[in-house]
Each structure stands twice: as structure tokens, then as C-alpha cells.
Amino acid sequence: MKRHAMSKHFGNGAGHVLRQHNSAVLLFSWRGKPDGSASYVEHINRYVRNGVEYPSLAALLRAVEAEHAYKEN
């Protein structure tokens, strides 16, 4: 059986997130370089990255984008 992954670009194409099928771990890259991970914690229905909780995937992606905007300025 083929395993599918969720793959999404964000941050005007600079960021990429990948999640393997049935995995709670999301792997990030920024401008083609590894950029850490986040986890989906089902019992609290939140994403967690670097100890910070986010209520949705969209909120998590906005935070990662903002983090890089801050670093690049």
C-alpha cells in the first residue's frame, strides 16, 4: 500500500512542511535547508513547536514565517 504525505509550501515558497501519513511529526525546511519540526498533539488538539502551542496548522505556519522574517531583517 502506498503511503501518502502532506506537503505544503508557505512563506511565498520559501518554507515547506512535510508530514508522513499517520505521523504526528511535521518536518520543516526553509529555503531548502532543514528547519526543525513540530508535533500535532491530539489530546489537546494543538500543534507544538519549540515548546509553543498553536491552535491550527495555519497559525503554526504563520509563526514559522514570522520567525524567518524577523531573522532576515
Side-chain angles (χ1 to χ4, degrees), residues 3-18:
R3 292 184 62 143
H4 298 282
M6 182 274 299
S7 176
K8 181 170 182 64
H9 284 89
F10 64 100
N12 294 323
H16 183 253
V17 61
L18 177 70

Side-chain angles (χ1 to χ4, degrees), residues 13-14 16 27 47 52 55 63 66 68 70:
H16 183 253
L27 302 175
Y47 292 87
V52 180
H68 285 281
Y70 178 79

Side-chain angles (χ1 to χ4, degrees), residues 6-7 19 24 29 32 37 39-41 47 64 67 71-72:
M6 182 274 299
S7 176
R19 182 177 79 186
S29 62
S37 63
S39 297
Y40 176 71
V41 183
Y47 292 87
V64 172
E67 173 187 321
K71 286 179 183 176
E72 292 173 2

Side-chain angles (χ1 to χ4, degrees), residues 17-67:
V17 61
L18 177 70
R19 182 177 79 186
Q20 294 295 327
H21 182 68
N22 288 334
S23 174
V25 177
L26 291 83
L27 302 175
F28 287 87
S29 62
W30 191 263
R31 300 199 189 284
K33 296 180 181 168
D35 189 47
S37 63
S39 297
Y40 176 71
V41 183
E42 190 171 345
H43 72 275
I44 61 171
N45 195 30
R46 297 203 179 256
Y47 292 87
V48 179
R49 177 175 162 98
N50 299 330
V52 180
E53 294 180 8
Y54 299 93
S56 67
L57 179 59
L60 171 60
L61 297 182
R62 284 191 300 270
V64 172
E65 186 175 354
E67 173 187 321

